[in-house]
Amino acid sequence: MKLLRYGPEGQEKPGMLDADGNIRDLSGHVADIADEALSPEGLARLAAIDPTSLPLVEGSPRLGACVGHVRKFVAIGLNYADHAAESGLAVPSEPVVFNKWTSCIVGPNDDVVIPKGSSKTDWEVELGIVIGQRTSNVSKEQALEHVAGYCVVNDVSEREWQAERGGTWDKGKGFDTFGPIGPWVVTRDEIADVQNLKMWLDVDGKRFQTGSTGTMIFDVATLVAYCSQLMTLMPGDVITTGTPPGVGMGQKPQVFLKGGETMTLGIDGLGQQTQKVRRA
């Protein structure tokens, strides 16, 4: 299934994408794509619905973030060896974990706003993991059973605040609009091999990032198990899993967003995002 949320900001309704790419209204069955709806039992109930029996949503409504009520937006840094190399940093021996504030979450095609005074706003296409059930100290072997599905994430980053202003990476990662998620959650059963998905990102039509989840240092199961040692993961929590090379910081000379650009990014089987960039 491809589950989504559509409508004006703050008033999103739950939806499902049918086989023809049309949005179908799920609000008669669930309140939101969130919480218990993402559990194994909740997903089984949704999977039993014939999409053609659902009301057709006319037109092309705004897509909201594909998950509602996100409690934790956990991020993994330097999870691709070639990205670590372009950043001039050592390949980590354990996952690098930081936070993106949930207030940064926006829809997949909403504007990305460069913060006031920023000179180093950057892009990162990433695979997002959506947790489907309460998860604490789960083993790697059982970890994927706790995953509801996957989505595209743009881990927008302000590099000066991340690396040059002291303290943790979190400061450069959670500005408003720095977390586009979607266009939809693709349930785990639809992805044959999550460690073999191509990913890409363009800025104004120029390809900057090309990669594959096959080159992750720590795979999805390892990351879910590892994070579940640090915190109890809850349904709807999102883990974004690192980016392949090609970020602006890694260019020679470096390239950062200035406002007026269009970012387009996607992952095989998970859909595509497009964001206009503007200054605050």
Side-chain angles (χ1 to χ4, degrees):
M1 290 182 294
K2 294 180 174 66
L3 303 174
L4 55 91
R5 300 166 72 246
Y6 69 96
E9 184 177 358
Q11 302 175 47
E12 291 91 350
K13 294 182 178 180
M16 177 188 293
L17 207 68
D18 69 18
D20 296 320
N22 300 311
I23 297 174
R24 299 284 180 161
D25 182 10
L26 268 176
S27 57
H29 296 269
V30 290
D32 202 352
I33 306 301
D35 305 321
E36 194 275 337
L38 293 165
S39 70
E41 297 78 15
L43 292 179
R45 285 193 292 272
L46 294 180
I49 299 170
D50 177 0
T52 62
S53 70
L54 299 169
L56 179 65
V57 178
E58 301 289 348
S60 301
R62 169 190 174 269
L63 294 178
C66 58
V67 185
H69 302 167
V70 178
R71 296 176 177 88
K72 292 187 286 297
F73 193 1
V74 183
I76 307 299
L78 301 177
N79 197 31
Y80 290 72
D82 35 12
H83 172 56
E86 74 172 351
S87 303
L89 298 169
V91 173
S93 58
E94 292 195 29
V96 175
V97 180
F98 59 93
N99 288 297
K100 289 179 74 75
W101 317 126
T102 55
S103 54
C104 81
I105 294 173
V106 291
N109 304 317
D110 290 344
D111 289 353
V112 165
V113 181
I114 298 174
K116 290 181 179 180
S118 167
S119 60
K120 296 184 178 181
T121 295
D122 204 347
W123 56 82
E124 296 190 8
V125 59
E126 303 199 1
L127 171 75
I129 306 167
V130 180
I131 299 299
Q133 57 182 302
R134 185 182 178 94
T135 304
S136 179
N137 288 303
V138 70
S139 67
K140 179 179 177 180
E141 292 71 26
Q142 294 180 314
L144 294 186
E145 297 173 17
H146 291 248
V147 173
Y150 305 100
C151 63
V152 181
V153 176
N154 190 351
D155 176 20
V156 186
S157 307
E158 210 298 328
R159 302 302 190 185
E160 181 184 9
W161 279 101
Q162 177 186 348
E164 302 172 26
R165 301 290 292 265
T168 66
W169 286 12
D170 304 9
K171 291 198 294 187
K173 293 286 191 171
F175 287 98
D176 290 352
T177 76
F178 273 28
I181 298 178
W184 30 75
V185 179
V186 180
T187 51
R188 181 165 48 91
D189 59 291
E190 287 203 8
I191 303 300
D193 183 1
V194 73
Q195 300 304 152
N196 187 29
L197 302 177
K198 293 178 182 177
M199 52 207 305
W200 54 273
L201 181 144
D202 296 346
V203 180
D204 288 340
K206 179 180 178 180
R207 181 62 46 92
F208 277 92
Q209 290 191 272
T210 303
S212 168
T213 57
T215 63
M216 283 182 177
I217 298 167
F218 304 104
D219 64 16
V220 167
T222 297
L223 293 175
V224 172
Y226 188 88
C227 289
S228 79
Q229 296 178 65
L230 309 177
M231 66 200 83
T232 297
L233 298 166
M234 301 296 290
D237 284 352
V238 176
I239 303 172
T240 189
T241 58
T243 198
V247 300
M249 180 178 64
Q251 305 301 308
K252 299 188 186 325
Q254 293 180 331
V255 178
F256 296 111
L257 298 167
K258 300 185 180 303
E261 301 93 344
T262 298
M263 293 185 285
T264 309
L265 57 147
I267 299 176
D268 281 358
L270 302 183
Q272 176 177 305
Q273 303 181 351
T274 299
Q275 297 114 25
K276 297 284 188 181
V277 181
R278 59 181 175 89
R279 299 200 71 89

